[in-house]
Each structure stands twice: as C-alpha cells, then as structure tokens.
Amino acid sequence: MNSQQKIKQLIDKREQAKLGGGVKRIEAQHQKGKLTAKERIAILLDEGSFEEYDMFVTHRCTDFGLEKESYMSDGVVTGHGTIDGRVVFVFSQDFTVFGGSLSETFAQKICKIMDQAMKIGAPVIGINDSGGARIQEGVKSLAGYAEIFERNILASGVIPQISAIFGPCAGGAVYSPALTDFILMTEDTSYMFVTGPKVTKTVTGESISTEELGGAEVHATKSGVSHFVVEDEEEGLMMIRKLLSYLPQNNLEEPPMTPTNDPIDRREDALNDLVPVDSNKPYDMLNLIQLIVDNGEFLEVQPKFARNIITAFAKMGGMPVGIVANQPNYLAGVLDINASRKAARFVRFCDAFNIPLVTLVDVPGFLPGSAQEYGGIIIHGAKLLFAYGEATVPKVTVTVRKSYGGAHDVMSSKQLRGDINYAWPTAEIAVMGAAGAVEVLEGRKLGEIKDDNERARYIEEKTNEYNEKFANPYQAAKYGYIDDVIEPRNTRFRVIRALRTLATKKDLLPPKKHSNIPL
Ligand code: HXC
C-alpha cells in the first residue's frame, strides 16, 4: 500500500466506525425517538470540538460465536471536547452495538477517559443507553462495571460527574449513575431499576409496567433518584451545558464567574410585600429567588421531589451560588425525610465544589408523625444538619419568616458556622409557634378555666403576648445569632455584598480520614 492508499484505509475505517451497529439499527434507534451515540455527542459539545478515543477498539470475546461479530468502538463512543470552551470528557453508549451492552473493552474505554479526566481535572459526562452487562462476556463484564464504580467513587468530590439516561439502565448498571453527582432522564424513553418488571413479578408477584417501576416521572417524584427530567434528548443535552455553567472544572477551582448586566444593587419593592400578613398563609418562595438572582435565572435541581424544599443553582453578581430554600407553598415548607435528604446532598455537592450557599428560611419545623419517625427522620434530618455544619464554603442565610425549633438550627444557623445571617422584619425565630407554646406553658391554667369564652380570650391574650415577645427577629438579633435585620427589597444587594466579602473565606475541618455522616 502506498501512503495514499493507507490514508484511504484510515478514512474508510473511520467511516465504518461512524456507523456503529449499522444503518438498520441506527434507523431502529431513530424510530424509537432516540438519537445515536455520536449524534448526542455532537449536540452536547461545542461544534467541532470532539476528539474521539479508541474508535479502533473491538471486543475480544470468542464465546457464543461473538468472534464472528464485532464492531469498531465496541458499543461506546468516548473522548473529550469542550462545552463553552471548557474541556469535558464524555462517554456515550451506543445501543446499536449489542444493545449498548458493556464488555471488558467497553469498560476499559470508559475507564480510560475517567482516568484522563481525573489527571486533567475536567468533568465527565456519561450518556447511558444500554442493555447492561454483555451477557456473552460473563464475569468480565461484571468486573468492568466494578472498575467504573471504583473510578466514580474516587472521582466523587474531585470532578463533577453527570449522567444522562437516554434509554435502558438496569440491574447493577444503575449504580454507576447513582454514584455520580446528577442524573438526568428523558420522559418516555428512559428507565432505571435494579430489578425489572419480569423478575419483580416472579419474585414478589407484583405486576408493574416499566414506566411505573422506573420511568423518569417515578424517579423525579417518588424515589428522588433523578435530578432533572426532560422531554427529549436535545433538551437534556442543553440542560447539561447549562448545569456546567454553574460548576467549576474540579474541586481545586473556583466556579466560573460570568459578567452580568443585572445591577447588584437592584432593589425589588415587591419583596417588601411578599410575606403575607397572616403568617400561616403560603406564598411562593420561587418568586423571591427569581427576584434576587441575576436576570431572574436559575436552574432547579429535583424540582418535583420533596417540593417543600427548593434546591437551585443561580448566579448572583456573576457568581454561581447554590440556593436552598424552604417552600411555604408546599406542606408549609416543613422539613421531612425527603426534604432533608434532597437538601443535604445538594449542600454537600456545593461544598465539595466551592459553590457558596445561600439559604432562604421559612420553616415551621419538622413534620410530626409515626410515618416520619419510623422512616428515620432523626437520621435523615441529621444529614442536613451535618451537611451544613461541615460545609466550609461561604454561607449566607436570610430568614424570611418562620424559623422554629430544631429546624431553625438546621437551616444554616449561625452556630453551624453560618457566616452572615440576615433576617427580614417578618422573621419569627423561636423555639415553637405561639399556639404550641401557649398550650405547653399555659396548660394547667387553661384546665382551670371552665368558661369556654373566657378560655378562648385567655388563649388569644397569651398567643398575642407570645407572638409579640418571640415571633420576631429581634430576640435572635439581640444575641447576635442574626447579624442584621434587613429591608426585604435590599436582599439582592445585601446577599451579593456578603458573598463578595466572603469570597476569600478560609475555614477548615479537623484532620480526619473522613466524617461519619449519618447515612
Ligand atoms: C448482549 C444484548 C444485551 C446484553 C441487548 N442486547 N442486551 N447483547 N448483552 N445485555 C442485544 C440484543 O440481542 C439485540 O441484538 C440488540 O442488543 C438490541 O436488543 P433488543 O432486545 O432487540 O432491543 P429492545 O427490544 O429495545 O430491548 C432492549 C432491552 C433488552 C430491554 C435492553 O435487550 C433486554 O432485556 N436485554 C437484556 C438485559 C439484561 O438482562 N442485561 C443483563 C442485566 S444484568 P440484535 O443483534 O438483535 O440487534 C446486568 C448486571 C450488571 O446488567 C451488573 C453490574 C454490577
């Protein structure tokens, strides 16, 4: 072969690799409303930035006649490219080759890019669309999964890891996405479960569809396994780009600053009237967030799960922040098991990646009841407490209204190394609400009053007295637990100034192997 022929051979091989499992299977993929592995990468990355690794890799299996059937790339496209000019590593499972199933070489390809990403300090994005372990390869495939799991674990807290689920993801295969920071699923075309409907039926007798067992909706609302749900793959890939715009490349970098035209001292008069006069009335905390962040833009994480707490990324004065906020519009913003788990994980992510935390508090307390106690609210609530107390990133807290009992301590209070704690004049910071307090403190006296009217009058009088004395921010401010009581309309400016002041904050944990967070 002369050099021209050799170049032609290279071009032909590249063309062949592009076809994955062949034209027919690509058509079948499209018919299911799904894109191919390469199409997905092309949408995800900056145009022309993708550099593929290992397209000449093929499997080495000689069992079950597989030696006669092999495809270039072996069912996963791997490499690196850029998103908004920043390097990312990506693997994209190719369902057209053996159903995207994972072989020994397939796993090695993924491990290679994960190792590179760790050396360079760049995020890894995994696009999952796979029938699981390649059955013909037996335990080699299991070992391959475990090689990936170990890398997911070692990379956790070092580089951001994002998983898109664009097809099947079942059995032990779910655990690689589960070990990553964020899981994004497409409606209708993706599912995740450890055990599928058929085996579930055999073992437990329960009849359930794929969608009901592990579809996007289920994981967004019930299990909390997924963080984002999108209608289609293109929307999902754009959302990953958006998510990365809030994140640093690795744990040693600061998150990316973006210049903003939104004035940092923008006053929002509407905030002065946001909290209803009747303190038991709900309002939408999302309105507050929208009014204080740059250009009203934010990205909610797990928006449909534990809606009593909001977790979101936003920018304030160009600086990425993680926002945690109780949502009075849903279950009065109470802390329960799921809200605690959701927020704790978010706080830990932000802390691992140097993203300052802004906490907006309106919490009546923990949800009472046997369901919560038996479900372990003690341990789950402790997760959030632990996460806040351990976090060393700048922590700015604004108490908007209620901040009662244990929940007050949990929600980034001063004593959990909260850096700057503000309250609105509408704040109520106390051990418990007036009604409960009167019942406990005045129980004996109330028992002695026989006349109903007189009892009601007494309760009202004591409730007012308690409210007057305790349902305000000034008791807490008196002791320095609140640094300042601020006018609501100035919240954006005050928070941004606090964040800028805290930008060089250094805080440490005592030397230890690792903490023992109540898992
Ligand atoms: C090898 C596989 C495969 C697998 C699918 N294929 N899964 N090949 N190993 N695990 C092949 C099919 O033979 C078929 O080949 C092609 O991929 C497309 O599959 P279809 O079944 O035609 O597609 P579809 O109807 O869309 O169904 C997709 C599917 C189904 C639901 C994923 O293929 C399926 O149930 N596969 C088996 C899943 C499974 O049990 N995997 C092992 C789980 S255990 P042709 O040549 O016809 O195109 C596991 C353990 C992991 O994963 C442990 C980690 C610790």
Side-chain angles (χ1 to χ4, degrees):
M1 261 198 265
N2 63 28
S3 59
Q4 284 308 315
Q5 286 165 324
K6 285 182 181 171
I7 289 167
K8 167 102 181 34
Q9 183 189 37
L10 169 66
I11 292 168
D12 288 349
K13 276 183 182 288
R14 283 182 182 279
E15 285 304 310
Q16 194 192 334
K18 266 191 202 157
L19 287 177
V23 176
K24 265 201 171 149
R25 292 198 181 94
I26 290 176
E27 273 168 19
Q29 179 82 345
H30 285 158
Q31 259 158 25
K32 286 183 202 154
K34 302 196 317 185
L35 298 169
T36 64
K38 289 211 158 157
E39 287 166 347
R40 289 163 175 166
I41 290 177
I43 294 172
L44 175 69
L45 300 180
D46 296 340
E47 202 177 337
S49 71
F50 183 52
E51 177 153 333
E52 188 172 343
Y53 288 9
D54 289 339
M55 76 169 77
F56 303 105
V57 164
T58 53
H59 72 72
R60 300 181 200 125
C61 181
T62 51
D63 288 322
F64 299 99
L66 227 60
E67 65 278 8
K68 295 193 208 88
E69 190 182 1
S70 87
Y71 301 89
M72 287 174 70
S73 291
D74 198 32
V76 64
V77 181
T78 59
H80 62 74
T82 58
I83 289 183
D84 291 330
R86 300 194 299 161
V87 175
V88 296
F89 283 80
V90 56
F91 67 84
S92 183
Q93 300 176 342
D94 182 353
F95 194 82
T96 69
V97 175
F98 301 115
S101 59
L102 184 136
S103 67
E104 181 191 18
T105 43
F106 183 123
Q108 283 167 355
K109 286 182 63 173
I110 293 179
C111 290
K112 187 195 263 188
I113 62 124
M114 291 183 80
D115 291 343
Q116 295 278 55
M118 280 290 274
K119 276 190 233 161
I120 290 160
V124 172
I125 299 155
I127 302 175
N128 296 263
D129 185 3
S130 164
R134 189 166 304 163
I135 296 163
Q136 299 91 333
E137 296 217 4
V139 290
K140 283 191 186 156
S141 168
L142 296 187
Y145 272 114
E147 294 277 357
I148 297 170
F149 297 159
E150 182 62 32
R151 281 166 178 77
N152 286 138
I153 294 161
L154 296 179
S156 181
V158 180
I159 50 174
Q161 301 181 81
I162 300 170
S163 302
I165 317 294
F166 285 171
C169 184
V174 297
Y175 286 113
S176 175
L179 294 167
T180 65
D181 299 304
F182 298 102
I183 296 180
L184 178 145
M185 294 180 76
T186 41
E187 276 172 16
D188 305 325
T189 48
S190 72
Y191 56 84
M192 295 180 84
F193 35 64
V194 173
T195 315
K198 280 189 195 142
V199 179
T200 301
K201 171 85 182 147
T202 316
V203 177
T204 70
E206 183 188 8
S207 289
I208 189 158
S209 70
T210 300
E211 194 62 29
E212 281 172 321
L213 189 62
E217 184 68 13
V218 162
H219 287 310
T221 56
K222 286 187 165 52
S223 71
V225 164
S226 84
H227 301 85
F228 305 101
V229 175
V230 288
E231 264 180 42
D232 58 39
E233 295 177 9
E234 197 161 337
E235 185 191 343
L237 296 163
M238 289 302 129
M239 194 175 270
I240 292 172
R241 291 179 64 97
K242 176 96 191 144
L243 174 60
L244 283 171
S245 74
Y246 297 105
L247 312 185
Q249 291 288 88
N250 56 63
N251 63 331
L252 299 178
E253 278 188 14
E254 294 301 318
M257 286 287 290
T258 339
T260 177
N261 297 327
D262 194 350
I264 65 162
D265 57 355
R266 173 166 55 78
R267 277 188 168 156
E268 286 294 345
D269 290 336
L271 290 178
N272 278 5
D273 301 316
L274 182 80
V275 173
V277 180
D278 176 353
S279 88
N280 288 323
K281 271 215 171 130
Y283 61 92
D284 193 349
M285 185 63 92
L286 289 169
N287 288 339
L288 196 165
I289 296 173
Q290 205 210 343
L291 288 171
I292 63 171
V293 301
D294 291 355
N295 306 312
E297 259 182 58
F298 58 95
L299 177 64
E300 231 190 303
V301 179
Q302 294 191 302
K304 292 174 149 190
F305 181 69
R307 285 166 51 207
N308 32 332
I309 204 154
I310 299 165
T311 49
F313 292 111
K315 298 205 173 178
M316 294 192 76
M319 182 188 289
V321 292
I323 296 179
V324 179
N326 310 110
Q327 170 59 289
N329 240 1
Y330 192 84
L331 294 176
V334 77
L335 278 180
D336 59 3
I337 292 170
N338 286 346
S340 304
R341 282 174 47 213
K342 169 179 167 178
R345 184 155 169 78
F346 183 75
V347 166
R348 295 195 98 219
F349 175 83
C350 291
D351 188 47
F353 289 102
N354 313 318
I355 300 170
L357 288 162
V358 174
T359 304
L360 306 172
V361 183
D362 188 345
V363 64
F366 280 97
L367 183 63
S370 57
Q372 290 290 309
E373 298 295 346
Y374 297 172
I377 183 68
I378 294 174
I379 291 295
H380 297 292
K383 289 186 169 92
L384 182 53
L385 174 60
F386 200 111
Y388 267 125
E390 195 178 39
T392 56
V393 284
K395 292 184 276 192
V396 178
T397 308
V398 181
T399 302
V400 174
R401 189 170 63 177
K402 295 176 188 169
S403 184
Y404 283 119
H408 161 77
D409 279 3
V410 170
M411 293 301 296
S412 200
S413 62
K414 197 79 189 161
Q415 293 72 22
L416 293 183
R417 303 198 290 180
D419 294 302
I420 298 186
N421 291 52
Y422 295 127
W424 283 9
T426 42
E428 304 168 18
I429 305 171
V431 173
M432 60 168 71
V438 170
E439 204 151 290
V440 175
L441 299 178
E442 305 294 331
R444 197 153 46 86
K445 173 92 183 165
L446 286 170
E448 288 164 8
I449 305 174
K450 299 288 171 248
D451 181 67
D452 283 354
N453 286 337
E454 198 188 326
R455 193 181 308 114
R457 195 199 49 73
Y458 187 76
I459 290 174
E460 196 187 329
E461 181 194 312
K462 287 290 163 192
T463 304
N464 289 341
E465 195 182 313
Y466 188 90
N467 268 335
E468 198 72 13
K469 187 134 203 237
F470 294 110
N472 60 59
Y474 299 107
Q475 286 286 322
K478 187 168 128 184
Y479 295 105
Y481 305 157
I482 290 293
D483 297 300
D484 198 6
V485 181
I486 64 171
E487 220 186 308
R489 64 182 183 154
N490 295 331
T491 303
R492 172 177 163 82
F493 174 65
R494 298 298 296 263
V495 171
I496 292 174
R497 194 166 61 179
L499 289 168
R500 290 191 172 176
T501 307
L502 293 166
T504 52
K505 173 192 171 184
K506 293 265 178 293
D507 209 346
L508 291 173
L509 295 169
K512 57 174 103 174
K513 187 171 176 194
H514 59 69
S515 60
N516 187 16
I517 186 165
L519 291 174

